[in-house]
Amino acid sequence: MSQQGYVASPPYSQAQPGMGGYQSGFGSGPAQPLYGHYGGPPQAFTAPPTGMMKSPVSSAAGMPPPPVSSQYNPNVQQNGAHPQRYPAPPAVSAAYGQPQHSPYNSMASSGPPAPQQLTNQMSAMNLGSYASGPMQSPPPPTSSGAQQPFQTSPPAAMGQPQMPPGPQSPQVPQQMPPPMSPPQSPPANMPMAGPPLAGPQMAGPQMAGPQMGGPQMGGPQMGGSPMGGMGRPFPGPPPPGPGGFQQPGPGAVGPPGYPQQAGQFGGPMAGPQPGMPGAFPGAPAALAGPPQKKLDPDSIPSIIQVIEDDQVQRGGQVFSTNIRGQVPPLVTTDFTAQDQGNASPRFIRCTTYSLPCTADLAKQCQVPLASIIKPFASLPKNETPLYVVNHGETGPIRCNRCKAYMCPYMQFMDGGRRYQCGFCNCVNEVPVFYFQHLDHMGRRVDFYERPELSLGSYEFAATLDYCKNNKPPNPPAYIFMIDVSYNNIKSGLVKLICDELKTLLEKLPREEAADSSAIKVGFVTYNKILHFYNVKSALAQPQMMVVSDTAEMFVPLLDGFLVNYHDSRAVIYNLLDQIPDMFADTNESETVFAPVIQAGVEAFKAAECSGKLFIFHSSMPTAEAPGKLKNRDDKKLVNTEKEKTLFQPQKGVYEQLSKDCVAQGCCVDLFLFPSQYVDMATMADVPSHTGGSVYKYNNFQVETDGEHFLRDLRKDVQKSIGFDAIMRVRTSTGFRATDFFGAIHMNNTTDIEMAAVDCDKAVTVEFKHDDTLNEETGALMQCALLYTTISGQRRLRIHNLSLNCSSQLSELYKSCETDSLINFFAKTAYRAILNQPLKNVREILVNQTAHMLACYRKNCASPSAASQLILPDAMKVFPVYMNSLMKTAPLVGSTELSTDDRAHQRLSVMAMGVEDTQLLLYPRLIPLHNMDISSEALPAPVRCSEERLADSGMFLLENGNSMFLWLGQASPPDLIQSIFNLPSLAHLQGHMSALPELDNPMSKKVRSIISGRLEKRPNSMKLLIVRQRDKPEMMFRQFLVEDKGLHGGASYMDFLCYVHREIRQLLT
C-alpha cells in the first residue's frame, strides 16, 4: 500500500481549523488544541501568510496546528457564497458559490445554464472505478450501460483483499477497454475547448488559488509543487491510460432528467463559461471528440445495492463480538449479535473500527473518530438480555486510579492476586472475596461464570454510594399534563387523550417478573392557571386544586397527587371521564408553559423521585407568566448571517428549567398540536436537554391525525427507559472523548447527564488523540451509565468496546462505517448552525467530504488517471448521504420551509441513533404493485429517484417521520379496487390517512407491510396517499433524495461531479 502519508501536501496535511466538529469555526467548543479539523484552534479564519506550510509532522499531537490557511476564511464562502465575497475574477471556480457555475449557488442569482454542462463533467469524471486502477486506452464509445460501474475495492496488487465481485463492484479486468471513451490521453494534455484543469484562467482554482484571500484549502503556498506523495511511484500496476467515461464532445447534451441545477447552496448559476458550460469548474471542459452518450445513473454507486450486498453476505448470520476492531453488519442488515467480550453493535457503533495511531494521521485523513452509543437499545427476542452482577455491600470492582469498572480488558497476574487495568495500566490488588486462581493461560478459572470478565455488556447493582444523599431512590413517576385551552377542547384532543389513558395506563413499563408497574402517576390540566388532581384511592371522587399564581409555582398537595395506578384505578377513571366535560365551555385560549414544567419538577422534588412529564400543548405560551414567548419568526433572516437566531432558544427561564429538570431527574416529553408558529426552538429546549422527545402534529384533526398521535403516545409511554442517568465514557491511554451530542446536559466536560434515557436515544461521542496509540494493544473504550430502573433500583450499565489501531490509512478506510459517519456529520452540522451561517456549514461538509476521499485517493488507491473518481469501498455511498443531509430542512435556506419544522428536525436528529439517521437521509422506496403476495419477504426497495417510479405502479416511501403511498396515474383499476375498493384512481378522495380493511390478499399484504414498518420505527408515521401529478405529490418528491431538491440542492449525480472536481483540485 502506498502509505506514504501526505508528507507535505498542503491541503490535507494541515489542520483545517474550522471544519469537522465545527469547533473553532463553529462557535464554541473546546479551546484545547485538539487536532485541527475538528475542534481546531480558533485561528481558523485567518488568511495565512503565503508559503507558510508546515508538514503535519511538525505539529505535535498536542500542539495547535500551524496557522495555515484554513479552509474557511472570512472571505471565502464556498457553499453558496455571494460572489462579491470573492476577490477573485469571475472566471475562477469558487467552490460552491460563484454564480458562474456550480450548481450549488446562492439562491438568488440568474437562470440556470445550459444543460449540457453536467454531462461534460460527468463524463470527465471517468467514473471509472471505486478503487481499482483505470482501464487501458478506450475504444470508441458504445452504450453507457456497459461501462464499468465504479470498481469497488482496490486491486489485489495493492495489498488489499479483492472484493468479491458483487453487482456493485465488478472487478473489471485491467485490459478491458472501457466502452465509451474516445481514445485520449490523460486530461493534462488534452486539447481543451475551455480552461484546462487548473490552467491560468482558473487562476484561483478554488482550493488553491492565490487570489482567494485566505485560500480555502491550502492556498497559494500550494504553488505548483506536487503533493507530498504524488511524485513517487506507487507500488502496484503502472497507470494505464485514463479510462471510464469519455470526455464530452463540444456539443454534449446533459442527460435528460438532470437539467442543470440551481443549487441549494445558492441560486441558479449565471450563464455558463466558455468551454465549461456552467460546469463545476475544474472538470476537464468540453473536449473535442464525438458527441457524448447519456451518463447512466446505474453506473454510480447505489445505497440500495450496498444494503442488498451486505444483507446477502451477512444477513441471518451470527455476529460474534470476540474479535477486536471487527466491522459489524450494516444497521439495515438482519443479523444476530452474540456478545463474546465486546458490546453488540446495537449498543455502540463507530465511524471507523481502526483508529489512526497518531493525531497527524487523523488530521491528514480528516475521517472523524466517533462512536454512537445507544445505552438502552432494545434487543431482539433471540438475543440475551444483560446480566446483572451483584457484589453486595462492596459494590462493583473498579480500578483505583482511573475508576474503570471490572471488564474483559483487565489482565490478572501474580497468581490472580492482582490485576492490571487495561485503560490506565495501573496494577490493583484483587479484593479477597473476588480472588480466583488462574488457569495455564493466565485466565481466571471462573472466566465464563462472570459476565464482567467474559462479556462486553452487563449491569452492576449499585450500592448506596451511587445514590442521591446515600439513600435508595423511590420508583419513578409519570405526570400527564393536559392543555385544556379552547383549541384542544374544540378539536376533540382532550377527550381523545383522556379516553386513551384509561387503557394505556394498564401498560406502563414494568420489570420482567413484576405483575404490575411500580411507576406512580399524576394528572394536571392547565390553561392560564394549573389544576392539580387528588386521586387518592380512598376518595370516591377526584378533588381539584387550583394554582393561579404561576410566578411562584408550588404543588398544592403531596398525598394523593402521585399514586399507584392499580390502587386508584376507579378514581382515575372517574377523573378521565370528567375532564373533557369540566372544560367543555371554556373560552380561555391563552396558555402558560414554563410553570407547567416547574410544577412537575416541584412534584418530583416533594416525592423525592425522578420521572417523566407528558405535556400535551397546542399554542405559543402568551399568558403573563415566566417563560412567556413572543413571535420571533422572521423569514427575512433566511440566508443571512442572522438565520442562526431562528434555531437558538430564547435564553433565561428555559435554560434554568433544563438544569432544574436534570438535577431532579425530570424528563419532559412534549406533544405539540400547533396551528401556527410556536417557537419550537425555545419550547423544545427543555425536552432536548432532558432526554425527552418532541412530537409535532400540525393542524391536528382527530379524524385524520388521531391514530397517528395515539401510536406515538402508546410507544412513548411503554418504551423501556432509565431515569436520573449519568454517563461517562472512559478510554485507554492515547485518546479521549472530547465532544458529546444528544438529548443531554453537560455540567462539566466529562459527565453526560440525562434526566432519562430510553431505548431510542443515542449519544454521539467524538474522540481526539492526546498521544500515540499502539497497534499491539489497540484502543479501548468503556461507557458506564448509572441510572434508576423503572422499579426504583440504582444500577450501572457497562458497555465495553475494543478497536484496532493502525499506522496505515488503508486500514482506517477499510474499517469505516458510512452510516455512523453520516450520523456524526448530521449532528455536528446541526449543532454548528446555531453559531454559523448555513452557507459556511454546507461548505464545511463538502470540503470535508472531498478531503476524506482525496486522502484515500492519494494514499491508498492504485495510481490512475486524474479523471477517474476513486472511492473507498466502505465509503462509496457516502456522497449520496452527504448530499441528502445538505438538502434537509435545517440546512436548506428556503423561506418556504416552516421555521418550527426546521427547528424540530434539528433537535430530533441530535438524539438519533445510526439506523434512524440512515433511514431519514435515505428513505425506503418500496414497489408494491408487482410484489409476490404469497411471499413473507418485503419487496426489494429501489433507489430514491423519480426515474424508478412507474406510471402504472404503486410505491410506499418511508423515512421514519413520514410515510407515503404513491399511485401512478396509470394504476390498473383492479389494483385500485383491491386496495381502496374503488373502481378507479379518479374516485379516490384526498386526505385518506389509512387504507380500508378489505378481505383480499393484496389489501392484506399491503396493510401488513405498512403496519410492519410502523411497528419497527421509533416514531409513528402518518400515511399520506398521493396520486402522480396531484399537488400533494410535491411533498412526496422532496424525499426522492437522489434527485434535485425542491428547495434547492443538487441531484446525487451533480453532487458527485462536484465532489470529484473538488478532489481533483485538492490533488493537483
Side-chain angles (χ1 to χ4, degrees), residues 247-260:
Q247 307 305 356
V253 182
Y258 292 102
Q260 180 42 48

Side-chain angles (χ1 to χ4, degrees), residues 143-257:
S143 95
S144 60
Q147 120 235 345
Q148 109 214 50
F150 299 93
Q151 268 130 259
T152 51
S153 55
M158 297 286 310
Q160 292 199 8
Q162 283 284 56
M163 290 288 297
Q168 189 54 46
S169 59
Q171 218 39 50
V172 183
Q174 262 357 66
Q175 320 63 288
M176 189 192 108
M180 81 164 284
S181 298
Q184 64 199 31
S185 51
N189 38 13
M190 286 175 193
M192 302 243 175
L197 275 189
Q201 4 37 306
M202 301 188 47
Q206 145 191 2
M207 296 295 183
Q211 90 280 15
M212 306 181 47
Q216 233 133 313
M217 291 299 228
Q221 74 275 29
M222 286 180 57
S225 66
M227 304 219 142
M230 287 299 271
R232 48 191 98 145
F234 286 67
F245 292 62
Q246 89 270 27
Q247 307 305 356
V253 182

Side-chain angles (χ1 to χ4, degrees), residues 11 92 201 244 282 328 352 362 387 482 493 543 583 595 613 665 811 833 854 897 965:
V92 303
Q201 4 37 306
T352 176
Y387 290 98
I482 306 170
L493 175 66
Q543 295 170 347
F583 298 99
L613 309 181
E811 285 303 309
I833 60 180
L897 295 167
L965 186 64

Side-chain angles (χ1 to χ4, degrees), residues 6-8 10 12-17 33-37 40-41 43 52-68 357-364 769-772:
Y6 297 7
V7 186
Y12 303 146
S13 52
Q14 82 226 33
Q16 301 297 0
L34 306 171
Y35 62 80
H37 203 125
Q43 87 253 28
M52 180 172 173
M53 174 61 228
K54 295 200 184 97
S55 81
V57 193
S58 61
S59 74
M63 309 235 325
V68 290
C357 282
T358 64
D360 280 339
L361 274 177
K363 189 191 299 177
Q364 185 179 323
H769 287 76
D770 44 22
D771 205 345
T772 303

Side-chain angles (χ1 to χ4, degrees), residues 954 965-969 971 975-977 979-996 998 1023-1028 1030 1032:
M954 174 168 72
L965 186 64
W966 181 91
L967 301 159
Q969 53 190 166
S971 302
L975 180 68
I976 301 298
Q977 183 69 49
I979 301 291
F980 299 100
N981 200 15
L982 294 169
S984 77
L985 196 55
H987 292 75
L988 190 62
Q989 295 300 309
H991 306 308
M992 279 181 80
S993 55
L995 297 180
L998 305 177
L1023 178 67
L1024 292 171
I1025 296 167
V1026 298
R1027 286 183 291 202
Q1028 185 177 9
D1030 272 11

Side-chain angles (χ1 to χ4, degrees), residues 104-326:
Y104 297 72
N105 247 4
S106 118
M107 291 291 173
S109 22
S110 58
Q116 113 203 41
Q117 108 179 42
L118 166 60
T119 331
N120 300 346
Q121 350 74 247
M122 259 325 260
S123 52
M125 261 160 92
N126 269 15
L127 282 168
S129 80
Y130 270 145
S132 56
M135 329 291 238
Q136 300 303 1
S137 85
T142 56
S143 95
S144 60
Q147 120 235 345
Q148 109 214 50
F150 299 93
Q151 268 130 259
T152 51
S153 55
M158 297 286 310
Q160 292 199 8
Q162 283 284 56
M163 290 288 297
Q168 189 54 46
S169 59
Q171 218 39 50
V172 183
Q174 262 357 66
Q175 320 63 288
M176 189 192 108
M180 81 164 284
S181 298
Q184 64 199 31
S185 51
N189 38 13
M190 286 175 193
M192 302 243 175
L197 275 189
Q201 4 37 306
M202 301 188 47
Q206 145 191 2
M207 296 295 183
Q211 90 280 15
M212 306 181 47
Q216 233 133 313
M217 291 299 228
Q221 74 275 29
M222 286 180 57
S225 66
M227 304 219 142
M230 287 299 271
R232 48 191 98 145
F234 286 67
F245 292 62
Q246 89 270 27
Q247 307 305 356
V253 182
Y258 292 102
Q260 180 42 48
Q261 63 193 54
Q264 132 183 10
F265 321 119
M269 291 50 62
Q273 283 177 252
M276 352 186 317
F280 305 79
L287 313 174
Q292 122 130 37
K293 297 276 187 298
K294 174 181 174 199
L295 187 76
D296 178 17
D298 285 327
S299 63
I300 57 178
S302 151
I303 288 182
I304 295 299
Q305 190 63 56
V306 167
I307 289 175
E308 214 170 278
D309 293 349
D310 198 70
Q311 180 63 42
V312 168
Q313 282 168 21
R314 310 183 73 171
Q317 299 183 6
V318 173
F319 174 74
S320 307
T321 66
N322 53 348
I323 301 171
R324 182 176 87 194
Q326 48 175 346

